Amino acid sequence: MLKIKQTIAQKITEQIVAQFSGAEIETATIASMLEYPPDASMGDLALPCFKLSRSLRRSPVQIAGALAESVKDVSVSRVENVNGYLNFYLNKEYLGETLLRGIVRAGESYGSQTLGEGKTVVLDYSSPNVAKPFHIGHLGTTVIGHALKKLHEFVGYKCVGINYLGDWGTQFGKMIVAYRKWGVREDVEAGGVDKLVELYVKFHNEAEANPALNDEARAEFHKLEEGDEENIALWKWFIEVSLVEYKKTYDLLGIEFDSYKGESFYTDKMPAQVQKLRDKGLLKIDDGASIVDLEEYGMPPCLILKRDGSTLYPTRDIAAAVYRKETYDFDKAIYVTSAAQCLHFAQWFKVVEMMGYEWAPALVHVPYGTVSINGEKLATRTGNVILLKDLFAMAIEKVGEIMEQKNPDLKGRRDIAESVGVGAIVFYYLSNNRMKDINFVMEDALSFEGNTGPYVQYTYARACSVLAKTGEPNKTQPMKLTAPEEEALIKTLARFPEKVLEAVRDYEPSIIARYILDVAAAFNRFYHECKIVSAEDEAIRNTRTMLTLAVKTVLGNAFGLICLKKEEKI
Ligand code: ARG
């Protein structure tokens, strides 16, 4: 629909310029005014003319009247003036021969665009803290981050996905103490990250009764900073063990990172930035600590160095951003974290700007809301958290049970249950606006009915099974559209490229998830109302096969953008 919007906007603009003397209006402005009417009886595209009323000094009805007579295009069957709205109706020829055929012809590239060509985006996401649990609080950064990467790639950007592992900090002092006191190598080797977390939790519990443990931990971390060999070896091992675990979760989701440079990597890159801050006169000493005053910008100060001279979270982020700019020369650097970190990002983004880095406006923070499960919030520290891998395991198991009842003879059921179970969680999560706080109701997420992941994956499989019966359509035969459900479906499919652009513009994968629901609904309506395999008329059958293939194409491409796997049989 992007093209036809453009064409119609251009014709409208030409007529306005011709008919209303002195009118100054851009095609792009008109294109942005064109709306999709809520109901097909009101046309396929509409121009609300009251928006032009002031600048053209005519009533909306007069404007719509004048334009209804004069705007013409081969793709438009009629134009109506209804209460100051100019309503356009697309003709069948255009729907079938241009839109539908265009989707099938474009195939896997349908929806992709060139907006970002020659530009690079760096995305910082997932980034769990080593030896701490990888819990459902990380679901957002992981799947939103990955979806944003896919979306940016789809519109032409070169993307670099970075897992900024929390692989440095005082928690390693605690881990080293805990491991030496209570850990057993074989147990950690066998139990993986769970064992590490257990030790970490034990440390916190013990330290409550015995605060001296905290001093020990500080001392061990200090030794680690000084390069103590034994501590370095332990630290590396903790990271290794954790990564094995994270990668299992990433595999389930089909996620790969281009870089795992974590916090530790930037240790030697901070002094230069601290020096630069000092040289620019931006550092102030406050109670012994070094800060950048942000009062002028309505924010609390950004902490750069603690009283003892050690660096802080913002310091590292500044050094990392400079390094990434130098390494990747990004046009945009996206950070996906929970909304709890909004202030942190606003502060250090401002500091980067104050330092005179002209690329400061390229830094983008993408926040998201909180997650709870069946109404329960998570408490970290205490160990009472729901791990991401357990969440997925539970979903996979439940979906497996449902499928066993539904389709007991299905081959490869385990793998399919895996992708449907994981998909259920991802879809449930991503179908909400990212800023919304989400409460997972597992039963709802896993249901095969309703607006769920299983439902949309099942719809994709349905399209595949229809195509398995019809075989490939004849792609050169003229299209024959006979039912309103066919037209409605084409119009829905035709909006994919615009949805992709909107999702990129708003950093909002939920736009794609909800669009997938629109496509599924339109396809299921078509499927119930129109015979496909058994249609008697050959041209009708072929057209419907083309439509089914277009649905498979669009759903498949959209799934790829939000971590949903394509299963041909469920
Ligand atoms: N490791 C941090 C956490 O789990 C998130 C890091 C986000 N990225 C960044 N560049 N600060 O809270």
Side-chain angles (χ1 to χ4, degrees):
M1 295 291 260
L2 273 172
K3 271 203 198 107
I4 187 65
K5 243 188 180 177
Q6 192 59 27
T7 309
I8 290 180
Q10 198 172 338
K11 301 249 155 125
I12 295 173
T13 314
E14 282 165 13
Q15 285 304 322
I16 291 178
V17 172
Q19 293 183 44
F20 300 87
S21 58
E24 271 178 44
I25 192 103
E26 306 258 337
T27 305
T29 315
I30 295 289
S32 72
M33 284 181 192
L34 284 171
E35 295 174 353
Y36 294 106
D39 190 310
S41 69
M42 295 147 102
D44 301 316
L45 277 172
L47 182 74
C49 293
F50 57 88
K51 293 192 174 165
L52 294 165
S53 188
R54 260 184 78 172
S55 61
L56 299 182
R57 281 187 247 111
R58 298 282 202 297
S59 77
V61 177
Q62 280 172 325
I63 298 169
L67 296 174
E69 297 291 306
S70 55
V71 176
K72 295 201 165 44
D73 187 77
V74 283
S75 58
V76 172
S77 59
R78 67 196 156 99
V79 188
E80 277 176 3
N81 160 16
V82 182
N83 302 329
Y85 274 87
L86 194 61
N87 295 341
F88 294 88
Y89 296 80
L90 298 175
N91 61 30
K92 283 200 174 109
E93 170 79 12
Y94 185 75
L95 293 177
E97 300 304 330
T98 305
L99 293 181
L100 174 55
R101 208 181 282 288
I103 295 167
V104 170
R105 194 177 296 133
E108 281 184 6
S109 70
Y110 177 63
S112 70
Q113 281 153 89
T114 54
L115 170 79
E117 247 167 40
K119 298 199 187 112
T120 300
V121 175
V122 167
L123 299 103
D124 175 315
Y125 64 103
S126 198
S127 311
N129 296 324
V130 172
K132 287 191 195 170
F134 191 21
H135 56 71
I136 57 164
H138 293 106
L139 180 62
T141 172
T142 306
V143 300
I144 294 171
H146 186 66
L148 292 179
K149 182 175 182 218
K150 289 284 159 198
L151 278 160
H152 279 83
E153 276 169 358
F154 205 46
V155 299
Y157 288 95
K158 178 172 173 264
C159 291
V160 184
I162 299 179
N163 196 324
Y164 182 62
L165 282 179
D167 62 359
W168 200 245
T170 46
Q171 80 255 34
F172 287 97
K174 296 176 186 171
M175 281 306 306
I176 290 168
V177 172
Y179 176 71
R180 289 222 178 99
K181 282 199 191 308
W182 311 298
V184 180
R185 190 159 190 109
E186 291 73 36
D187 283 357
V188 174
E189 262 157 14
V193 83
D194 290 353
K195 271 281 163 227
L196 293 180
V197 172
E198 227 172 76
L199 287 170
Y200 186 71
V201 171
K202 187 169 167 76
F203 179 91
H204 275 275
N205 293 339
E206 300 278 329
E208 262 176 36
N210 177 14
L213 281 174
N214 285 316
D215 299 329
E216 274 184 54
R218 253 189 297 278
E220 291 304 335
F221 181 60
H222 188 70
K223 272 167 74 186
L224 178 63
E225 281 183 304
E226 299 294 304
D228 176 87
E229 260 178 49
E230 267 181 49
N231 280 11
I232 293 267
L234 273 181
W235 165 71
K236 282 198 174 145
W237 182 54
F238 294 153
I239 295 174
E240 218 176 277
V241 168
S242 305
L243 269 179
V244 169
E245 191 72 47
Y246 302 155
K247 283 190 176 157
K248 282 188 206 151
T249 301
Y250 296 142
D251 281 347
L252 273 183
L253 288 162
I255 293 180
E256 275 173 42
F257 289 91
D258 303 294
S259 160
Y260 275 92
K261 285 198 170 67
E263 296 190 22
S264 65
F265 179 77
Y266 298 99
T267 303
D268 64 355
K269 300 186 174 46
M270 285 183 281
Q273 299 311 314
V274 175
Q275 193 54 44
K276 183 160 171 138
L277 281 161
R278 207 171 273 130
D279 293 347
K280 294 230 159 199
L282 292 168
L283 281 193
K284 271 195 189 158
I285 305 298
D286 182 57
D287 198 19
S290 301
I291 61 158
V292 177
D293 188 353
L294 297 173
E295 202 182 338
E296 199 183 321
Y297 306 100
M299 287 186 276
C302 184
L303 306 175
I304 302 295
L305 297 175
K306 280 197 243 176
R307 230 207 284 226
D308 63 6
S310 58
T311 54
L312 285 142
Y313 191 39
T315 327
R316 223 168 267 279
D317 259 325
I318 293 168
V322 173
Y323 173 85
R324 290 172 190 173
K325 181 66 194 174
E326 281 165 3
T327 308
Y328 303 111
D329 193 21
F330 57 72
D331 295 275
K332 214 157 48 158
I334 295 171
Y335 298 82
V336 187
T337 78
S338 89
Q341 297 195 30
C342 281
L343 178 61
H344 161 73
F345 282 95
Q347 286 175 311
W348 76 260
F349 285 3
K350 186 46 102 184
V351 172
V352 168
E353 185 191 315
M354 291 162 85
M355 290 169 89
Y357 288 115
E358 78 293 347
W359 43 268
L363 302 170
V364 183
H365 180 223
V366 178
Y368 59 86
T370 61
V371 180
S372 50
I373 294 195
N374 297 336
E376 275 181 59
K377 287 256 178 225
L378 0 124
T380 348
R381 289 285 153 107
T382 59
N384 169 28
V385 295
I386 295 158
L387 301 178
L388 219 41
K389 64 167 183 180
D390 293 342
L391 180 70
F392 287 133
M394 179 160 68
I396 293 167
E397 194 191 311
K398 289 259 163 65
V399 163
E401 284 166 15
I402 298 174
M403 279 173 49
E404 195 173 333
Q405 287 169 4
K406 271 189 174 285
N407 195 353
D409 304 325
L410 185 63
K411 281 204 199 82
R413 195 168 62 220
R414 278 179 76 109
D415 287 346
I416 298 170
E418 188 178 290
S419 64
V420 178
V422 172
I425 301 292
V426 170
F427 194 83
Y428 190 80
Y429 184 77
L430 286 183
S431 52
N432 292 288
N433 271 12
R434 64 178 157 76
M435 280 309 280
K436 202 177 143 202
D437 293 335
I438 292 167
N439 176 31
F440 262 90
V441 180
M442 285 307 270
E443 229 169 84
D444 292 355
L446 301 179
S447 164
F448 277 62
E449 280 114 44
N451 293 333
T452 64
Y455 159 71
V456 297
Q457 279 183 301
Y458 189 75
T459 303
Y460 178 84
R462 169 175 278 173
C464 294
S465 91
V466 170
L467 290 167
K469 290 187 196 126
T470 57
E472 278 284 299
N474 176 344
K475 292 180 185 144
T476 51
Q477 192 176 329
M479 295 292 109
K480 186 170 174 186
L481 294 172
T482 50
E485 291 80 12
E486 298 168 330
E487 293 189 23
L489 179 54
I490 295 175
K491 288 172 202 167
T492 304
L493 295 173
R495 289 177 66 175
F496 183 48
E498 264 172 283
K499 295 289 177 180
V500 170
L501 287 180
E502 277 171 39
V504 170
R505 180 196 66 199
D506 298 346
Y507 304 101
E508 191 60 271
S510 66
I511 291 176
I512 300 299
R514 282 199 293 263
Y515 173 69
I516 286 173
L517 290 173
D518 291 346
V519 173
F523 174 63
N524 286 321
R525 236 171 274 134
F526 158 75
Y527 178 84
H528 288 295
E529 295 304 322
C530 304
K531 287 188 202 164
I532 309 171
V533 187
S534 58
E536 286 98 33
D537 184 302
E538 205 275 320
I540 292 179
R541 181 169 4 107
N542 190 57
T543 303
R544 292 179 178 171
T545 307
M546 281 282 279
L547 255 168
T548 309
L549 181 56
V551 168
K552 179 182 171 191
T553 303
V554 173
L555 285 181
N557 293 0
F559 283 10
L561 296 174
I562 61 164
C563 300
L564 282 190
K565 295 209 174 117
K566 300 182 273 187
E567 292 296 346
E568 307 225 335
K569 287 200 176 93
I570 290 182

